[in-house]
Amino acid sequence: MKKLLIPLGVIIGFFIILAMIFAPKYNQFVSLEEEVNQQESQIETQLQRRGDLIPNLVSTVQGYASQEQQIFTDIAEARSQLAGAQGVEEMAEANGEVTSALSRLLAISENYPDLQASEQFTGLRDELAGAENRIAVARQDYNTAVQEYNQNTRTFPGNVIAGLFNFDEKAYFEADASSREVPEVEFNTEQDGE
């Protein structure tokens, strides 16, 4: 009987040691994954906030620059694409399209001095700049959380636990390649009634 208890005790002790090593690491993964999800939600919130400003900005610019119809169409399409984005990669790509379209809109607006003088336009432009800053901070916070999570999925013993419990690496929220290009803007100096 004693011969059977010693190997059984060793096996039980081995599993207790494994549990003491792996349980905290598993719990850390759960916490890190929740942090990544929370930060992704913050990005979505800030993108939605900016998205809510866009119709007011577009309508204000339309009042002064109605002949710039293509840019209004581009913004509507980009905003629709962002609203339907699923996952971080699609959100990042759609965000790049919205940012590019808004940059073109703001560049075009410089061709209309009356618009530039409008308090409503300048207020919306300032709110938009604030929203862009909040998006940048949310994206940075998300990427920091992803970095910590991904480091844990790739280092020992985290990589073992990640493999056992399907904790896959998360994608960073990266700028779309097209958003790095400076948009080309054609100024239509011919205005209605001239």
Side-chain angles (χ1 to χ4, degrees):
M1 186 69 159
K2 282 187 176 183
K3 289 182 181 182
L4 191 60
L5 289 177
I6 292 175
L8 186 61
V10 169
I11 292 172
I12 291 172
F14 177 74
F15 282 112
I16 290 173
I17 291 171
L18 276 179
M20 289 172 57
I21 292 172
F22 285 107
K25 196 68 175 170
Y26 174 84
N27 291 337
Q28 181 184 20
F29 270 111
V30 171
S31 295
L32 290 172
E33 188 171 51
E34 285 303 311
E35 177 67 15
V36 168
N37 292 340
Q38 190 269 336
Q39 293 301 335
E40 182 179 342
S41 175
Q42 284 298 318
I43 291 173
E44 289 174 5
T45 300
Q46 296 307 326
L47 290 174
Q48 181 62 46
R49 184 178 189 284
R50 181 187 61 185
D52 292 345
L53 292 172
I54 291 172
N56 293 331
L57 183 67
V58 167
S59 128
T60 300
V61 173
Q62 275 181 323
Y64 291 88
S66 59
Q67 65 273 18
E68 305 290 353
Q69 204 55 41
Q70 182 59 46
I71 190 64
F72 303 134
T73 303
D74 291 348
I75 289 174
E77 288 173 3
R79 187 169 176 250
S80 174
Q81 182 182 2
L82 183 60
Q86 298 292 317
V88 174
E89 291 93 353
E90 283 185 25
M91 264 196 303
E93 184 178 329
N95 180 56
E97 294 295 323
V98 170
T99 300
S100 176
L102 284 174
S103 295
R104 290 192 314 273
L105 176 71
L106 292 175
I108 286 170
S109 72
E110 291 177 10
N111 200 37
Y112 299 92
D114 291 343
L115 175 62
Q116 291 293 317
S118 164
E119 285 182 31
Q120 183 179 9
F121 176 75
T122 56
L124 287 168
R125 187 182 59 200
D126 292 345
E127 282 187 57
L128 184 63
E132 293 294 341
N133 289 336
R134 283 187 284 283
I135 290 168
V137 168
R139 188 170 74 202
Q140 182 180 0
D141 291 346
Y142 171 81
N143 284 341
T144 299
V146 167
Q147 178 187 14
E148 185 177 356
Y149 175 87
N150 286 347
Q151 282 175 340
N152 277 280
T153 62
R154 298 181 68 199
T155 57
F156 184 79
N159 59 350
V160 174
I161 294 168
L164 287 172
F165 295 102
N166 295 321
F167 288 106
D168 298 324
E169 284 190 47
K170 302 288 186 184
Y172 287 97
F173 193 103
E174 297 176 353
D176 183 49
S178 66
S179 69
R180 293 183 188 123
E181 299 171 12
V182 176
E184 289 184 30
V185 178
E186 293 179 28
F187 292 104
N188 182 0
T189 56
E190 296 177 23
Q191 295 188 12
D192 294 338
E194 288 186 31

